[in-house]
């Protein structure tokens, strides 16, 4: 997989790869590669799988990597029913190879494809939807869509705060949660979302 340069990282990868091969195990990502290889080199397997599925449905299509995309192409080649759902503005896995262009260019990859835009947001208030639209409208390469809130509820204003460090941020979150609880907000309605 990696040309050896003698670095500790490369030696670690080489050792890991050798152990995986020796123990004859497959990692999650290997499963897609193995399935794709099987469909491409074994006509009997390809024929079997092409006849097995009457329809294929893929959710979160914007997060496909190259292997997953080509695997879906191979599986879909056996019939004409492929449905996908995705939002190129929500692609968050590019760090592991996700490529939102597979969604943006869907009609170029699959003849006769139709695109239906689901532009009405049923989860968030107008304040949240308007703020999200104001940010994502600056994305230069995206499917053009007009996101609107299904509700007429304005919702609370968005508050942006800056902190000098993680401790200050955590202290403020704790203070805010305590104030909510002391104000009578039920604990099971309070959530803290954190990305690490």
């Amino acid at each position: 997989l990696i040309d050896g340069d003698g670095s500790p990282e490369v030696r670690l990868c080489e050792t890991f790869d050798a152990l995986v091969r020796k123990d004859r195990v497959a990692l999650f990502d290997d499963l897609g590669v193995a399935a794709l290889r099987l469909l491409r080199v074994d006509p009997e397997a390809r024929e079997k799988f092409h006849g097995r599925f009457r329809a294929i449905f893929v959710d979160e299509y914007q997060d496909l990597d190259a292997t997953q995309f080509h695997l879906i192409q191979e599986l879909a080649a056996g019939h004409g029913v492929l449905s996908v759902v995705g939002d190129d503005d929500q692609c968050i896995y590019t760090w592991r190879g996700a490529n939102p262009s597979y969604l943006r260019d869907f009609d170029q990859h699959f003849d006769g494809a139709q695109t239906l835009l689901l532009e009405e947001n049923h989860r968030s208030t107008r304040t949240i939807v308007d703020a999200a639209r104001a940010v994502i409208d600056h994305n230069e390469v995206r499917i053009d869509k007009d996101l609107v809130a299904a509700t007429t509820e304005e919702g609370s204003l968005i508050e942006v705060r800056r902190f000098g460090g993680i401790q200050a941020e955590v202290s403020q979150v704790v203070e805010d949660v305590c104030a909510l609880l002391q104000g009578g907000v039920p604990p099971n309605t309070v959530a803290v979302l954190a990305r690490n």
Side-chain angles (χ1 to χ4, degrees):
L1 293 177
I2 301 172
D3 292 331
D5 65 2
S7 70
E9 295 85 2
V10 169
R11 286 197 317 271
L12 177 65
C13 288
E14 289 170 342
T15 301
F16 180 77
D17 193 46
L19 288 171
V20 166
R21 280 195 318 270
K22 177 182 146 282
D23 291 341
R24 298 176 52 97
V25 297
L27 305 176
F28 180 76
D29 288 338
D30 296 337
L31 299 177
V33 172
L36 181 58
R37 184 177 299 124
L38 178 68
L39 292 173
R40 287 186 170 171
V41 302
D42 186 335
E44 188 176 317
R46 184 181 319 110
E47 191 63 35
K48 179 179 179 179
F49 279 100
H50 281 177
R52 184 170 186 175
F53 304 107
R54 290 183 302 180
I56 298 173
F57 177 80
V58 183
D59 195 14
E60 303 295 348
Y61 196 83
Q62 76 277 354
D63 290 325
L64 293 184
D65 62 25
T67 300
Q68 294 164 333
F69 170 72
H70 292 294
L71 182 58
I72 289 168
Q73 274 189 317
E74 286 288 338
L75 290 172
H79 52 74
V81 182
L82 172 64
S83 298
V84 306
V85 175
D87 182 351
D88 60 326
D89 289 321
Q90 294 187 41
C91 182
I92 59 172
Y93 293 107
T94 55
W95 57 270
R96 67 147 181 79
N99 187 342
S101 72
Y102 297 136
L103 178 64
R104 287 192 301 264
D105 301 334
F106 185 78
D107 59 341
Q108 295 172 31
H109 298 295
F110 298 96
D111 290 336
Q114 288 182 297
T115 300
L116 304 173
L117 295 178
L118 304 176
E119 300 171 301
E120 196 171 50
N121 181 301
H122 292 268
R123 293 182 181 171
S124 304
T125 62
R126 282 186 40 206
T127 300
I128 297 293
V129 172
D130 290 347
R133 187 178 55 241
V135 172
I136 63 176
D137 280 349
H138 292 285
N139 293 347
E140 293 179 11
V141 181
R142 63 186 292 265
I143 296 171
D144 189 32
K145 49 194 165 295
D146 185 24
L147 187 63
V148 295
T151 181
T152 58
E153 180 187 343
E154 288 290 328
S156 302
L157 292 177
I158 297 171
E159 188 176 331
V160 177
R161 299 180 187 173
R162 293 180 188 265
F163 299 95
I166 188 71
Q167 279 304 107
E169 184 176 356
V170 168
S171 295
Q172 185 63 59
V173 169
V174 169
E175 187 178 310
D176 290 348
V177 169
C178 288
L180 289 170
L181 297 175
Q182 290 168 356
V185 173
N188 65 350
T189 65
V190 177
V192 177
L193 304 178
R195 174 179 251 169
N196 64 20

